[in-house]
Amino acid sequence: MSLKYTTFVKLGFNKNLSKLDLSSLLEKIEVGKVSYVEWKDHIFLDIDKPIFNKFTQKLPHTGSIVKVGKISLEKTYTPDTNMVDLFAKHIFQCIQNLKIDMNKQIKFSLNIQTNSKDTTAKIGSQLRSAIKKLAHDYQFKVKMLSSKRITMELSPYEYHKNNMNKRGIELNCFVIKSKIYFGFTLWVTNPFIDIEDDEKRPIRLFTHGLSFKMTRTLINIAKIPKNGWLLDPFAGTGTILQCGLRQSVNVAGIDNDPKCVRASKENLKDFCKNASIIKKKELKWNIYKYDSRQLNQIIKTEIDAVITEPYLGPFLKQLPDLEEGKETMKRLEKLYTKVLINCKKLLKKEGKVVIIFPSYNYSKDIILTPNISKIEKLSGLTSMKQSKYFNVFLPFDIGRKHNVISRKLVVFINSF
Ligand SMILES: C[S@@+](CC[C@H](N)C(=O)[O-])C[C@H]1O[C@@H](n2cnc3c(N)ncnc32)[C@H](O)[C@@H]1O
């Protein structure tokens, strides 16, 4: 009997970010050694059965992973293989595994990924026959959600709008080289929770502020223990702090702009009033109007992680001239160094600083960004160069590709 489950993970549009997100989650649940294969925008990995539940429970803490499912069938595939009976047997197992009520209508959607349209069509039609056969044998009603678009999987919006997590089954087939892998979806990121959290916020000052999705990824990367402390020294309207509370950590924020301090206080008060998770856990939060270059004068608590999107320089629609760009980067480097020197004093050993740096990309060879080695030397923090799993090298861009002004994800560790 196999001691592992083969799991498939769909990555988001920024693969580095998704892989780092996944790597951090696997580290947190202490999976140990991981064997995996990367294929298109998926990662297939084996997870030990005893910790599989822990893995699935923690998925809502990630922000950049789109979908996770379990492979239940792996078989050699040739174009003339008829798989209807085998599919029917496995779909029946899915229904039981997911505890779907067969007395009610069952929604199905298909996600078939192969390298040929013919193969996709053939597998699609066999899956439909298998579903039909089952529905006939067990007398349940079926609603197919991907009738015309066999190859197109549901988007996370469509998946949750259709209540697929409660009332449906998404079947996934991947044909990779000569093998077919069949499995069902277990979890899909739910954009509606973020939309609700965001829309309910009384004050939103930054039109280009961090999204909750991105913020969740940053918090996951920081690996803060439950009831630990998160510090955001450039708190803005409190996006990171609010997301921290949602992930069950205590939060402290600093901003030198009174308008922002008022806004983040109001946002957090409102969030705590409405979110039952906070009421139950009695989490603490503080926000201070202060200059973060002297943050150690105001924060006295030991901190588990610093997560921040700092002041990134003047708002620009296009690159400044090179000299002006160099000046801006120098000023920002100085600001970040001072703040990080003070963060180091408060950080627990092995605590992380997850921070976003601006980057002006003049050409392939001329990229301006605050000097990480210099900041390391002056602050005593060590920058993270590589993820534990999946070979992600840091820092990397977190925005859309090819932007001349971009943002980089940088992680520092308080290693000594
Ligand atoms: C990019 S915003 C942070 C946005 C935040 N992530 C959000 O989504 O709401 C940067 C913040 O840093 C604050 N700031 C700039 N310099 C500062 C300093 N020296 N000390 C404290 N806060 C500072 C600004 O007032 C601004 O609110």
Side-chain angles (χ1 to χ4, degrees):
M1 208 171 78
S2 161
L3 296 170
K4 290 178 186 286
Y5 287 130
T6 301
T7 308
F8 66 89
V9 177
K10 183 174 178 184
L11 307 170
F13 81 90
N14 188 324
K15 286 195 192 174
N16 275 332
L17 199 62
S18 294
K19 285 196 262 183
L20 184 57
D21 204 0
L22 181 62
S23 174
S24 309
L25 176 63
L26 296 176
E27 259 186 87
K28 199 162 183 177
I29 59 167
E30 299 175 354
V31 287
K33 221 169 163 263
V34 166
S35 68
Y36 73 96
V37 174
E38 198 174 338
W39 183 75
K40 293 187 179 174
D41 49 1
H42 289 78
I43 285 188
F44 294 78
L45 72 160
D46 292 329
I47 297 183
D48 284 345
K49 284 186 180 176
I51 54 168
F52 189 78
N53 273 351
K54 217 166 154 188
F55 171 70
T56 52
Q57 276 163 15
K58 290 250 183 282
L59 286 168
H61 290 242
T62 63
S64 308
I65 295 170
V66 178
K67 182 207 283 196
V68 168
K70 198 153 111 184
I71 297 292
S72 68
L73 169 70
E74 180 186 333
K75 202 179 170 320
T76 305
Y77 181 78
T78 54
D80 50 1
T81 322
N82 185 331
M83 307 215 13
V84 176
D85 288 339
L86 199 58
F87 278 152
K89 186 177 139 205
H90 279 267
I91 296 168
F92 185 65
Q93 273 173 13
C94 293
I95 295 174
Q96 291 188 315
N97 253 307
L98 295 170
K99 299 189 174 70
I100 304 277
D101 184 355
M102 287 168 85
N103 294 315
K104 292 184 184 154
Q105 182 193 59
I106 305 179
K107 292 177 186 175
F108 282 94
S109 70
L110 306 181
N111 167 33
I112 304 163
Q113 308 229 2
T114 77
N115 281 328
S116 114
K117 274 189 185 161
D118 276 358
T119 313
T120 303
K122 204 173 263 173
I123 292 174
S125 114
Q126 292 188 9
L127 277 171
R128 277 155 204 280
S129 303
I131 294 168
K132 232 178 180 173
K133 181 175 178 319
L134 275 179
H136 176 265
D137 291 352
Y138 292 92
Q139 293 292 301
F140 61 82
K141 284 202 186 84
V142 168
K143 184 172 178 192
M144 291 299 298
L145 290 185
S146 39
S147 51
K148 283 188 197 115
R149 307 171 308 155
I150 295 174
T151 51
M152 289 273 287
E153 63 192 311
L154 299 180
S155 69
Y157 287 95
E158 291 168 319
Y159 184 88
H160 286 284
K161 218 169 111 190
N162 282 294
N163 263 325
M164 288 296 281
N165 53 333
K166 294 183 193 115
R167 305 264 314 110
I169 304 178
E170 184 176 58
L171 303 172
N172 303 267
C173 261
F174 307 94
V175 177
I176 307 172
K177 290 182 184 159
S178 59
K179 286 231 163 150
I180 182 163
Y181 299 85
F182 170 86
F184 54 94
T185 301
L186 277 175
W187 173 87
V188 175
T189 184
N190 187 347
F192 292 104
I193 297 178
D194 289 346
I195 292 172
E196 209 186 304
D197 274 359
D198 193 36
E199 280 175 357
K200 273 192 192 152
R201 310 175 82 202
I203 302 178
R204 282 179 282 172
L205 295 175
F206 298 100
T207 42
H208 299 288
L210 282 181
S211 66
F212 280 111
K213 217 163 93 143
M214 172 68 76
T215 307
R216 219 167 28 251
T217 306
L218 304 186
I219 295 177
N220 188 36
I221 293 167
K223 296 208 270 14
I224 308 171
K226 237 186 192 169
N227 297 315
W229 275 92
L230 177 171
L231 169 68
D232 181 356
F234 299 91
T237 51
T239 315
I240 293 174
L241 305 177
Q242 179 173 335
C243 204
L245 289 173
R246 191 171 267 301
Q247 309 293 322
S248 300
V249 295
N250 302 300
V251 296
I254 301 176
D255 205 289
N256 63 357
D257 179 344
K259 204 164 71 234
C260 288
V261 173
R262 263 198 311 277
S264 51
K265 277 189 177 168
E266 200 159 319
N267 282 340
L268 291 204
K269 249 187 231 158
D270 190 78
F271 178 69
C272 290
K273 208 169 61 203
N274 295 317
S276 54
I277 178 171
I278 314 297
K279 285 183 202 152
K280 268 190 261 154
K281 302 203 171 150
E282 294 179 355
L283 294 165
K284 298 181 206 69
W285 61 270
N286 297 311
I287 296 164
Y288 307 94
K289 190 214 153 293
Y290 218 72
D291 187 325
S292 282
R293 284 169 290 196
Q294 279 115 38
L295 64 87
N296 58 319
Q297 294 176 355
I298 193 129
I299 307 269
K300 302 290 174 196
T301 331
E302 216 184 6
I303 295 295
D304 292 88
V306 173
I307 303 174
T308 194
E309 177 196 31
Y311 170 63
L312 298 169
F315 181 72
L316 300 168
K317 285 201 170 137
Q318 58 191 47
L319 282 172
D321 71 53
L322 191 58
E323 282 317 303
E324 204 182 321
K326 282 183 183 165
E327 267 314 302
T328 304
M329 285 303 160
K330 236 188 239 161
R331 265 190 286 124
L332 293 176
E333 190 179 291
K334 238 173 150 177
L335 170 68
Y336 302 165
T337 306
K338 280 197 173 155
V339 174
L340 292 185
I341 287 173
N342 282 318
C343 286
K344 159 119 176 113
K345 294 178 189 157
L346 298 171
L347 259 181
K348 280 191 183 155
K349 196 164 177 321
E350 295 304 319
K352 287 198 172 77
V353 176
V354 181
I355 184 167
I356 291 164
F357 277 5
S359 175
Y360 295 166
N361 311 316
Y362 290 89
S363 68
K364 219 170 97 229
D365 304 315
I366 308 176
I367 295 172
L368 296 184
T369 188
N371 185 331
I372 295 177
S373 328
K374 212 163 137 195
I375 295 176
E376 276 186 301
K377 220 181 256 167
L378 293 170
S379 68
L381 295 164
T382 315
S383 76
M384 182 175 160
K385 310 281 185 308
Q386 196 180 347
S387 61
K388 175 153 184 184
Y389 303 109
F390 316 124
N391 284 326
V392 180
F393 295 94
L394 289 97
F396 58 81
D397 268 21
I398 54 170
R400 303 249 170 214
K401 268 187 191 158
H402 312 306
N403 278 357
V404 285
I405 299 174
S406 63
R407 302 186 302 161
K408 283 194 187 303
L409 179 68
V410 185
V411 179
F412 292 98
I413 305 169
N414 185 22
S415 26
F416 50 87

